[in-house]
Each structure stands twice: as C-alpha cells, then as structure tokens.
Amino acid sequence: MDRIIVQGGEVLNGQVHTSGSKNSALPLLFATLLCDGKFIFKNIPDLKDIDSTRELLGHLGAIAARDGDKYIVSVKDVRDHRAPYDLVRKMRAGILCLGPLLARYGEAIVSLPGGCAIGTRPIDKHLDAMKVLGAELDIQDGYVHAKVKKLRGGNIVFDGVTVGGTENVIMAAVLAEGETIIENAAKEPEVTDLVDLLNKMGAKIQGRTTSILKIQGVEKLCPAEHTVIPDRIEAGTLLIAGAITGGEVTVTNCVPQHLEALTFKMRESGFNISSEADTITVHRCKGWNGTDVTTAPFPGFATDLQAQFMALMTQAEGTSIITESIFENRFMHVQELNRLNANIAHRTQVAVVRGRKGGLKGAPVMATDLRASASLILAGLVAEGETEVARVYHLDRGYERLEKKLESLGAKVSRIRG
Ligand code: EPZ
C-alpha cells in the first residue's frame, strides 16, 4: 500500500489547475446506460473510482475508454442488468445504475452498496422514490431486485436531502410515462451537471439548480457530448493547502460560485480571498482566527470539505466548533490529527478544535477515508518534521495526483510505492 511522505514547513505559492469533478463524472457515466450510441466526455478525472465505474459499465455492456483528452462510452444493447457486489462494494456510487437500468430495461439487480468508514450510507430514499414510480423491489441476498413493466411519473418529496437519491430518481424519471415532480431535491452542482447532460440527451427536466425538479418522461434519449464541471472539493482542498502554509495560491479552472460557503468561512477567519471568472486566490496570511462551521447540503458548507477545514483550524488563534450534520461518523481524522499534536475533542456530531499556530509535530498517521487522507496531508504541510500518511489508496479514489499538484506549489511531498 502506497504511503505519502510530507516534510512540513514549506510555504506554498503559485497556480494549480482543478481536475474534473469525481462526484459529477460518476452519475454522468451511469446516465449513458439510458440509451445506445457513443458518448464523448471531456474533463473526466483519472481516478480509481472512475476505473471502478468503467469496470461496472463494462460488466453491463457499456464500453468506456480514454482517448486523449476525451472519454468515450459506447453503449450497445446492455445485456446484463446485474451490478455485482464485488464491483459495487468498491465504489458505492454503483447504486446509480439502478435508475437507468429500471428506466431502460424495466429490470435491475443491484448489490446493496453497504456502508463505509463515514457512515452506514443507507439507500432507503433511493428505493422509496423508485416505488413511487411504480417499481416492485425485493431485497434478497444483499441485492435489490427491481422490476417494472414501465415506470410512470409520480410526486416525490425527499424527507432529507440526498444527492445520490436525487440523481438516481432523475435518471429513472426521464423515461417514465408522464410527469415526475421531485421536491426537496439536492441542489449540488453535480446534480445540475447531470440535469444538463440529460437535457442534452433529449430529456425534459425543468428547475435546474433548484430543489423542485419537474420531469416530463420521453420515449427515447440520444447520446451526447459533455464536459464535466470542475471538482469543487479538490479546488477547496488546494485553496486550503495554500492557506494553511501562509502562501498565495491561485486555483484555476474552478467555479468560484461552487465554493462560496468555504470562501465565506475562510474570510470570516481572516483570510483575504479574491476570485475571477474561473479562478480563486488565497492571499498570504500570517495569522487567522478560529471560526465555527456546520456542514449542510449545497449551498451550505460541504461535508466533503469538513476534514480539510478542520486541519486549517488547528493553526487558528482560538477555538473552532465544527458540526458534522450530514454523516454520522465523519470525524475519524480527529484522532489522526491529534497524533500530529493537534488539540481536538469530539462527540458524535461536534468537534471542538483548540487552535495553536505551529503546534503540529510530524508523525506516522493513517488515512481512514477519502477526505480524511487529504486533511492529514494538509496538516503534514505545516507539521514540524516528517509526516507519513499510510493507506493512501483512499486518496487515489478521489484526487488526481494530489501530491504532484502540491509539489508544483513548492510542497516537499513524495509517494512511496508500497
Ligand atoms: C454524495 O454521496 C457524495 N458522493 C459524497 O461524497 C457527499 O459527501 C454526499 O453526497 C453529501 O454531499 C458522490 O456523489 C459519489 P447523500 P451520497 O445521499 O449521495 C443519508 C466524497 O467524499 N441518506 O446526499 O451517498 C446519508 O446516510 C463522497 O466524495 C439516507 O438516509 O450522499 C447521509 O447521512 C463522500 N438514505 C445523508 O443522507 C438514503 O437513501 C446524505 O447522503 C440516502 C442518503
């Protein structure tokens, strides 16, 4: 298993490019199951989760391959409607093939994704929504067996915002008979990116970027070309990398509007942040104050930036109270940050960070999940001495060569192949 070694103390400066969004690319790739033909994508990031999705699509009969800066998906009569456990287990978003397979073939046998480090990750909201559209569902041997003659439109009101649930039911509704209304839909930019692709394919979806989506089912869809939006979580992570070291870093090819909750909190803490059309710059800052954050669905503070922001607050003057309201177990980076001599106490949903500039000391630490691994690397940038982050396969699921990007900004960071 690879490890990442960080020598703390370097100030990061310069420009760094944002890759395409993992959490947008995944549903976009599953949407290709909705019709035959050749899809041409651009800005699909080179990540383990994309490789896992390609493997699952291949198993179903949709062939995906990178061709230069393009990512081609050729779909011809998907023959297998079964998404096996060993593929879905590796990448939970595999559950997103449920909606497209049901819509197109009236049948899907999809492994329950199971939980992960940050929570039990249930899919009850996905399944309840499919039932509203007329699907018959049966759980057997860890698989969802779903079937329907023809999906029909219905009214869905999510009792809690679910990104994947919204994406799954949108992909089911676009080929259903009649109109579907989804209320309390997730408004994440990745959901909007999926709506934009589906409308290019001939779907009739109104209400993009809002929490109420109105979908008129159509008979057929066609393949399309699409460029994936930039990864707002990677962009936020890179911005924090500049901030935590007191440097000046410009993140390019990003969407500042997608990061307003983060930049608001960083400004509140004392940072000077400026932005242009597709860049955000954090300016040099000698010292910043603690500030409180509660994670929330978009446009609130992204739960996927909570761990990274916590690393930043370990260097703040004063205390920060960080409340994680989305997942039930998303503080596993706390004990690892404390191994680096941070001073953080936490209960289930709330962490209290007592900041102290320069207090971190390098040590071996363990990545437990995707965003926690980024948080530990950020902390290593300012810890005295060497920090070794183990189990970085978590990192590779969601970041495209993060250590290379940090190195290009002046960080002393390397990967040891293990
Ligand atoms: C997506 O996960 C993202 N993953 C997550 O990013 C992100 O943290 C999350 O949205 C929240 O923004 C992808 O897009 C591939 P949810 P998803 O359904 O769709 C509960 C990362 O680091 N819930 O919005 O699985 C659930 O337990 C990953 O890139 C139900 O109770 O998240 C959670 O508490 C981590 N029943 C909350 O809702 C359901 O049927 C939000 O989950 C579905 C969800």
Side-chain angles (χ1 to χ4, degrees):
M1 282 188 259
D2 292 4
R3 287 163 296 141
I4 285 192
I5 312 289
V6 190
Q7 293 296 343
E10 302 301 319
V11 177
L12 271 56
N13 290 296
Q15 289 205 355
V16 65
H17 181 86
T18 312
S19 300
S21 164
K22 164 181 88 80
N23 290 349
S24 182
L26 297 178
L28 295 177
L29 291 174
F30 284 111
T32 63
L33 294 169
L34 286 163
C35 67
D36 283 353
K38 182 176 169 184
F39 288 79
I40 299 177
F41 291 103
K42 282 200 171 163
N43 213 26
I44 295 269
D46 180 11
L47 303 170
K48 286 268 176 295
D49 272 9
I50 298 296
D51 296 345
S52 306
T53 302
R54 186 183 63 231
E55 203 182 334
L56 177 49
L57 287 175
H59 175 85
L60 297 169
I63 310 305
R66 206 171 279 280
D67 174 10
D69 69 343
K70 296 188 180 72
Y71 199 85
I72 316 283
V73 183
S74 303
V75 187
K76 183 151 181 29
D77 189 19
V78 169
R79 58 184 179 285
D80 190 332
H81 307 149
R82 183 185 181 89
Y85 176 58
D86 64 332
L87 292 177
V88 176
R89 171 178 61 81
K90 267 191 292 189
M91 209 269 308
R92 301 188 59 268
I95 191 63
L96 293 175
C97 68
L98 175 65
L101 288 175
L102 258 185
R104 184 101 194 277
Y105 302 99
E107 183 206 31
I109 303 171
V110 184
S111 166
L112 288 168
C116 72
I118 64 175
T120 52
R121 311 296 294 277
I123 57 163
D124 55 308
K125 293 177 170 57
H126 298 237
L127 303 184
D128 292 346
M130 296 303 167
K131 283 183 203 152
V132 170
L133 302 186
E136 281 167 49
L137 303 175
D138 185 23
I139 308 279
Q140 275 172 25
D141 314 322
Y143 281 78
V144 178
H145 293 251
K147 64 177 187 309
V148 67
K149 223 163 134 8
K150 174 86 175 153
L151 290 173
R152 59 175 189 281
N155 282 18
I156 292 150
V157 183
F158 281 119
D159 58 358
V161 173
T162 162
V163 172
T166 302
E167 291 164 344
N168 229 340
V169 78
I170 289 172
M171 292 192 280
V174 290
L175 288 177
E177 225 152 53
E179 179 180 77
T180 295
I181 295 179
I182 305 171
E183 295 185 63
N184 202 18
K187 299 187 282 189
E188 271 64 6
E190 296 77 28
V191 175
T192 301
D193 206 22
L194 174 64
V195 167
D196 291 345
L197 168 67
L198 291 169
N199 280 338
K200 275 188 202 171
M201 292 166 63
K204 291 189 171 32
I205 307 170
Q206 294 172 314
R208 74 188 287 279
T209 77
T210 75
S211 61
I212 299 180
L213 297 172
K214 197 180 274 188
I215 303 171
Q216 292 299 337
V218 295
E219 274 301 304
K220 201 167 139 22
L221 294 169
C222 309
E225 300 197 6
H226 191 77
T227 299
V228 182
I229 59 171
D231 192 315
R232 60 193 169 103
I233 306 304
E234 185 204 28
T237 305
L238 294 166
L239 204 65
I240 293 172
I244 200 170
T245 64
E248 177 161 302
V249 165
T250 295
V251 180
T252 63
N253 185 48
C254 66
V255 181
Q257 295 76 5
H258 292 170
L259 282 155
E260 280 175 354
L262 172 67
T263 50
F264 177 81
K265 280 295 166 184
M266 289 176 73
R267 286 192 180 101
E268 190 175 80
S269 174
F271 287 97
N272 172 12
I273 311 253
S274 56
S275 61
E276 311 278 332
D278 64 350
T279 67
I280 304 181
T281 299
V282 58
H283 299 276
R284 283 182 192 76
C285 183
K286 288 252 171 305
W288 51 93
N289 305 311
T291 186
D292 301 343
V293 162
T294 298
T295 62
F298 190 85
F301 193 97
T303 174
D304 293 349
L305 284 168
Q306 177 257 103
Q308 301 91 312
F309 193 76
M310 186 181 287
L312 182 63
M313 289 299 112
T314 67
Q315 300 304 295
E317 205 50 51
T319 298
S320 305
I321 298 176
I322 297 180
T323 305
E324 170 55 57
S325 71
I326 306 286
F327 289 109
E328 67 267 30
N329 189 35
R330 201 167 201 176
F331 281 144
M332 280 173 304
H333 43 284
V334 168
Q335 67 262 29
E336 297 303 312
L337 287 170
N338 284 340
R339 277 182 54 76
L340 299 177
N341 202 37
N343 183 352
I344 309 167
H346 83 91
R347 296 288 174 273
T348 322
Q349 305 291 130
V350 180
V352 178
V353 184
R354 294 181 181 86
R356 190 159 58 92
K357 192 145 186 71
L360 298 184
K361 304 255 180 300
V365 288
M366 182 90 73
T368 49
D369 59 88
L370 167 53
R371 306 305 172 180
S373 36
S375 163
L376 296 173
I377 292 172
L378 293 175
L381 292 174
V382 289
E384 193 188 309
E386 180 176 286
T387 297
E388 176 185 297
V389 183
R391 296 192 181 176
V392 289
Y393 57 82
H394 290 293
L395 190 78
D396 297 336
R397 291 193 45 209
Y399 287 95
E400 201 173 43
R401 291 178 289 284
L402 181 63
E403 72 274 12
K404 292 287 176 215
K405 294 193 174 185
L406 295 175
E407 211 176 11
S408 73
L409 294 170
K412 280 194 180 135
V413 54
S414 56
R415 177 184 288 252
I416 312 282
R417 300 265 172 220

